[in-house]
């Protein structure tokens, strides 16, 4: 049989003080005499007492929990988000409840409802569906969308258009004129690709439909890449991948069929995750820590006041794109 959990009242009785004094010793120790604090701490340590956070929430004290919902646990970029969210929230005395939407709008909504049931004090979300943001807007819980612009809602994002421009400019500076892109649906709006196209236009260069290599960025199917690489000679001497995982897969399959990087094809990734660092792939950097910090400040400030912030990316140049 499990041992009965010690209560704050029982700790108070052992010390000979009120429950309120024990509560102050835990939450506002400076308001309790040192000798009394010491006695209370003795019994807290002896019986491994843990304050009941749910009870505190019911009394109107905040849960000190923030929610974070991300696209995918398999993408290193979102793992970086989690790392910084936990670190920055902890510095402010908060813990973080993390959930994975798996790019599924219905699952994302269920996660939101679950977080609301846990009385989180704010939600940071890399959203799948804007309707879920509309639902959040109808609640009293402050939230902020991460890394995508959603007019009418709080959001903090990196300029992905600027990221595409920086990647393309680097490859143009290396002497490339036919620059391709590897990503999702060609017809769907892509700020990274728009940045690439815009930069090419500045130099009177064109982005042709055949320069685009389509890949399912969720499943990362090797067949998609292999089919393009083995069908015919690639029309481009350089490619920009929509993220580092896609760049890694492209590098792997290109080497398999005889293309050398960067001798035959220059390659630039996106997000500057551990993948690009380990494989020496040039990658667009995103200020992820700054983004999370700004998001936390928004939800812990007055999250009901609309705030938007767009940060600038950079580039980490490595061997994969150098001649």
């Amino acid at each position: 049989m499990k041992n009965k959990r010690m209560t704050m009242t029982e700790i108070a009785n052992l010390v000979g003080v009120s429950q309120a004094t024990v509560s102050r010793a835990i939450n506002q120790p400076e308001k309790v005499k040192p000798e009394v604090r010491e006695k209370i701490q003795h019994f807290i340590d002896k019986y491994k007492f843990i304050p009941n956070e749910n009870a505190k929430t019911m009394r109107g004290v905040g849960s000190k929990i923030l929610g974070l919902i991300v696209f995918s646990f398999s993408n290193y970029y979102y793992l970086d988000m989690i790392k910084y969210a936990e670190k920055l929230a902890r510095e402010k005395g908060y813990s973080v409840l993390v959930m994975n939407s798996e790019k599924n709008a219905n699952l994302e909504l269920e996660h939101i409802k679950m977080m609301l049931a846990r009385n989180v004090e704010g939600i940071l979300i890399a959203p799948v569906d804007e309707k879920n943001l509309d639902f959040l807007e109808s609640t009293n819980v402050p939230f902020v969308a991460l890394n995508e612009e959603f007019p009418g809602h709080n959001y903090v994002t990196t300029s992905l258009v600027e990221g595409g421009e920086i990647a393309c400019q680097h490859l143009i500076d290396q002497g490339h004129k036919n620059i391709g892109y590897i990503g999702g649906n060609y017809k769907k709006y892509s700020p990274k690709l728009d940045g690439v196209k815009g930069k090419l236009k500045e130099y009177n260069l064109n982005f042709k439909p055949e320069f685009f290599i389509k890949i399912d960025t969720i499943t990362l199917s090797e067949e998609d890449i292999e089919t393009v690489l083995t069908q015919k000679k690639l029309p481009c001497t350089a490619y920009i991948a929509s993220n580092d995982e896609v760049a890694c897969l492209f590098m792997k399959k290109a080497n398999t069929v005889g293309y050398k990087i960067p001798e035959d094809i220059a390659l630039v990734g996106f997000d500057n995750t551990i993948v690009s660092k380990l494989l020496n792939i040039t990658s667009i950097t995103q200020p992820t820590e700054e983004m999370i910090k700004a998001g936390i400040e928004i939800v812990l400030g007055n999250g009901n006041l609309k705030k938007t912030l767009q940060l600038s990316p950079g580039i980490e140049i490595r061997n994969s794109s150098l001649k």
Side-chain angles (χ1 to χ4, degrees):
M1 181 177 178
K2 292 183 179 179
N3 293 330
K4 178 179 176 291
R5 180 174 174 176
M6 180 68 71
T7 67
M8 194 176 292
T9 301
E10 289 169 330
I11 293 287
N13 291 337
L14 288 168
V15 179
V17 296
S18 68
Q19 179 180 330
T21 300
V22 176
S23 178
R24 278 196 298 275
I26 294 170
N27 299 300
Q28 298 172 299
E30 71 281 359
K31 294 185 177 182
V32 180
K33 292 179 180 179
E35 60 271 22
V36 176
R37 256 193 351 249
E38 199 172 306
K39 290 179 182 179
I40 291 170
Q41 191 61 50
H42 168 76
F43 287 108
I44 285 176
D45 293 340
K46 181 177 179 179
Y47 294 105
K48 298 180 175 61
F49 171 72
I50 301 173
N52 189 330
E53 297 296 331
N54 289 333
K56 287 166 67 176
T57 302
M58 290 174 66
R59 291 196 303 272
V61 180
S63 66
K64 306 295 282 187
I65 299 174
L66 298 178
L68 173 63
I69 303 176
V70 298
F71 275 169
S72 169
F73 287 170
S74 63
N75 187 315
Y76 287 101
Y77 174 66
Y78 295 106
L79 294 181
D80 279 347
M81 271 193 183
I82 295 168
K83 176 182 70 176
Y84 290 125
E86 192 282 328
K87 170 181 174 284
L88 295 169
R90 175 166 29 90
E91 290 174 357
K92 292 183 175 291
Y94 283 76
S95 56
V96 180
L97 176 61
V98 182
M99 293 186 178
N100 176 12
S101 71
E102 299 177 9
K103 288 195 175 183
N104 182 300
N106 293 329
L107 181 59
E108 180 180 69
L109 181 58
E110 290 304 309
H111 287 339
I112 291 170
K113 291 178 178 178
M114 192 178 300
M115 286 184 172
L116 295 176
R118 294 287 298 274
N119 295 306
V120 297
E121 294 187 36
I123 294 177
L124 293 84
I125 179 171
V128 173
D129 195 327
E130 189 170 4
K131 290 180 181 178
N132 290 338
L133 298 186
D134 293 337
F135 171 77
L136 267 172
E137 200 73 61
S138 68
T139 73
N140 292 320
V141 176
F143 70 94
V144 60
L146 299 175
N147 215 31
E148 194 167 349
E149 295 183 21
F150 286 95
H153 301 294
N154 295 326
Y155 67 79
V156 183
T157 184
T158 303
S159 175
L160 301 180
V161 171
E162 190 178 346
E165 292 172 345
I166 291 171
C168 191
Q169 181 68 64
H170 168 64
L171 292 172
I172 290 172
D173 290 344
Q174 290 294 305
H176 298 282
K177 295 184 178 181
N178 291 340
I179 299 172
Y181 185 83
I182 315 165
N185 194 331
Y186 181 69
K187 294 181 180 179
K188 186 178 179 181
Y189 170 66
S190 168
K192 297 173 187 176
L193 180 55
D194 275 2
V196 173
K197 291 178 178 178
K199 183 56 65 174
L200 288 171
K201 194 172 182 180
E202 286 183 27
Y203 287 84
N204 294 317
L205 300 173
N206 293 320
F207 185 91
K208 301 176 182 178
E210 59 265 31
F211 290 2
F212 184 87
I213 297 178
K214 181 180 177 182
I215 181 173
D216 188 325
T217 55
I218 299 175
T219 62
L220 293 178
S221 169
E222 293 190 12
E223 287 74 19
D224 292 343
I225 295 288
E226 193 167 26
T227 298
V228 173
L229 288 171
T230 55
Q231 274 184 343
K232 54 186 177 182
K233 183 179 173 66
L234 289 176
C236 299
T237 58
Y239 283 90
I240 298 166
S242 58
N243 62 49
D244 285 343
E245 282 73 19
V246 170
C248 172
L249 185 60
F250 180 83
M251 176 182 275
K252 174 186 173 184
K253 300 311 294 184
N255 287 335
T256 299
V257 299
Y259 287 103
K260 292 181 180 179
I261 294 174
E263 292 85 352
D264 300 324
I265 305 169
L267 180 64
V268 176
F270 230 99
D271 301 332
N272 197 37
T273 63
I274 192 170
V275 171
S276 62
K277 295 171 186 175
L278 290 174
L279 296 178
N280 222 3
I281 298 173
T282 295
S283 188
I284 297 299
T285 63
Q286 296 203 53
T288 310
E289 184 171 9
E290 188 180 348
M291 182 188 304
I292 294 295
K293 183 177 182 180
I296 289 176
E297 288 175 352
I298 288 173
V299 298
L300 293 184
N302 189 344
N304 294 321
L305 293 177
K306 293 296 174 289
K307 295 182 180 179
T308 62
L309 179 63
Q310 187 174 79
L311 305 172
S312 291
I315 187 169
E316 189 72 35
I317 298 173
R318 301 188 179 94
N319 286 351
S320 71
S321 62
L322 297 176
K323 286 191 172 181

